[in-house]
Amino acid sequence: MVSTGTEMKDPENYHKDSFVQLHNPNVATMKEDILYHFGLSTGTHDFPAMFGDVKFVCVGGTPSRMKTFSRYLAVELGLAQAGIEYSNICEATDRYAMFKVGPVLCVSHGMGIPSIAIMLHELIKLLYHARCSGITIIRIGTSGGIGLEPGSVVITQQAVDAYFKPEFEQVVLGKRVVRSTELDEQLVQELVKCSGDLNEFPVVVGNTMCTLDFYEGQGRLDGALCGYTEKEKQEYLNAAYMAGVRNIEMESSVFAAMCRVCGLRAAVVCVTLLNRLKGDQISSPHEVLTEYQQRPQRLVAYFIKKSLGMS
């Protein structure tokens, strides 16, 4: 086993003026860095001019969700103008979408660990090339709750794997690399304080279990494959609850691990669409789900406004 815990920055030493750092000496020797999945390149785009003022990055699953969030954020920050639409910076590719609203970058990441990992590699390099400093990055999304009513918002304390361990494991050159998935505790508390200010919907702090799959990996009974019983499923989900897990999704572990290694202050804020102890399928009406999905956005937007001295 290879552990890279020694290369992680101590979150307590995070400083608002610190520049984004990479843990790859090869990038500094490259004449041009092509961010292929963004459709951007240091040879054709002026990253400091385009992104140098970014202080907050919000990432979420789909392009449409992030476009909607960018519109909402523009209104909240007083940057919306009649007839002006924030364009997709990654329009040269159909892989991800990116919108910039003042000091906030909104980026889609797709579904699952591989998709968000690819996005994060290029996003972190983008921030590095732009000479950004004091970055706060937050994943906003949806999840399945454990022991929570639908519509509850979970602020992640730790991202854990399917064994309930706060670590992300990856195979690199045939060797196991294990990284910590602990998130910034101070940022968690700042978000909790903001939720209290809003007092609009239930918010809890808990562990988030990150899985490699939506069906078997999360113990669902309604997939194409299922080799376990309802009783076994309930035993596992209850064990997760006893381990502090309050929701399940598919991106938080690699998100937490990569941000921690690169010294980025990071948080995960997800709404629950159902209580997995009571079922597997999401059956709430579309308008209800839409309102649920807006809850993490409202909390994070308020946090950004407060951080900017606007609330």
Side-chain angles (χ1 to χ4, degrees):
M1 181 181 73
V2 177
S3 175
T4 61
T6 56
E7 59 186 61
M8 293 182 293
K9 289 190 175 183
D10 184 351
E12 293 183 359
N13 292 330
Y14 169 87
H15 190 271
K16 65 180 180 179
D17 295 324
S18 60
F19 286 98
V20 173
Q21 299 296 319
L22 303 182
H23 283 268
N24 179 5
N26 299 300
V27 175
T29 66
M30 297 168 61
K31 293 182 179 180
E32 179 183 12
D33 191 1
I34 300 172
L35 307 186
Y36 172 74
H37 301 89
F38 283 168
L40 301 172
S41 168
T42 57
T44 56
H45 297 81
D46 187 340
F47 283 29
M50 294 175 66
F51 307 108
D53 63 336
V54 169
K55 294 297 180 183
F56 303 92
V57 181
C58 298
V59 303
T62 69
S64 61
R65 190 180 299 167
M66 298 317 292
K67 184 175 184 177
T68 299
F69 179 60
S70 68
R71 289 172 174 168
Y72 171 70
L73 199 57
V75 173
E76 290 296 297
L77 299 183
L79 299 174
Q81 299 182 43
I84 296 180
E85 185 78 15
Y86 284 91
S87 60
N88 176 14
I89 297 172
C90 297
E91 61 183 0
T93 175
D94 60 0
R95 183 64 61 185
Y96 303 108
M98 179 186 299
F99 306 90
K100 185 175 182 297
V101 183
V104 186
L105 204 59
C106 306
V107 190
S108 68
H109 58 60
M111 181 181 289
I113 286 174
S115 184
I116 192 174
I118 293 168
M119 186 281 292
L120 285 171
H121 275 282
E122 298 191 11
L123 172 65
I124 295 171
K125 290 199 297 176
L126 180 154
L127 298 171
Y128 166 80
H129 290 307
R131 300 299 293 157
C132 292
S133 64
I135 294 292
T136 296
I137 179 169
I138 303 176
R139 167 171 141 66
I140 51 179
T142 59
S143 63
I146 300 183
L148 299 177
E149 289 303 309
S152 301
V153 171
V154 179
I155 301 172
T156 304
Q157 185 79 44
Q158 291 181 324
V160 301
D161 62 16
Y163 299 105
F164 318 141
K165 295 180 179 179
E167 59 186 36
F168 171 68
E169 178 182 329
Q170 186 173 8
V171 177
V172 179
L173 300 182
K175 299 178 181 179
R176 290 179 64 230
V177 174
V178 180
R179 294 183 170 120
S180 170
T181 56
E182 298 209 14
L183 291 156
D184 189 280
E185 176 61 29
Q186 180 182 343
L187 182 53
V188 169
Q189 294 307 315
E190 290 174 13
L191 288 164
V192 169
K193 177 63 168 59
C194 288
S195 71
D197 293 344
L198 288 176
N199 195 29
E200 295 179 357
F201 38 77
V203 176
V204 302
V205 175
N207 293 342
T208 295
M209 182 165 71
C210 182
T211 66
L212 301 177
D213 167 55
F214 185 81
Y215 287 97
E216 287 185 292
Q218 297 187 13
R220 278 184 163 82
L221 302 173
D222 59 345
L225 305 176
C226 181
Y228 43 85
T229 65
E230 168 72 24
K231 181 175 181 292
E232 290 172 323
K233 164 198 156 182
Q234 290 293 337
E235 288 175 348
Y236 179 72
L237 293 182
N238 276 286
Y241 185 87
M242 294 303 295
V245 175
R246 294 297 177 267
N247 64 335
I248 311 173
E249 45 86 274
M250 296 188 292
E251 294 87 20
S252 60
S253 63
V254 70
F255 173 82
M258 289 184 66
C259 290
R260 184 175 175 85
V261 168
C262 292
L264 292 172
R265 204 167 75 123
V268 178
V269 182
C270 290
V271 69
T272 61
L273 300 183
L274 76 167
N275 181 358
R276 288 296 318 289
L277 296 177
K278 296 182 178 180
D280 295 331
Q281 296 201 332
I282 301 169
S283 57
S284 298
H286 174 73
E287 60 271 16
V288 173
L289 294 177
T290 298
E291 194 279 323
Y292 285 169
Q293 292 176 22
Q294 292 170 353
R295 293 182 177 185
Q297 298 181 15
R298 296 208 298 272
L299 173 56
V300 172
Y302 179 82
F303 163 78
I304 291 173
K305 286 176 61 179
K306 188 173 182 178
S307 299
L308 293 173
M310 299 175 63
S311 294

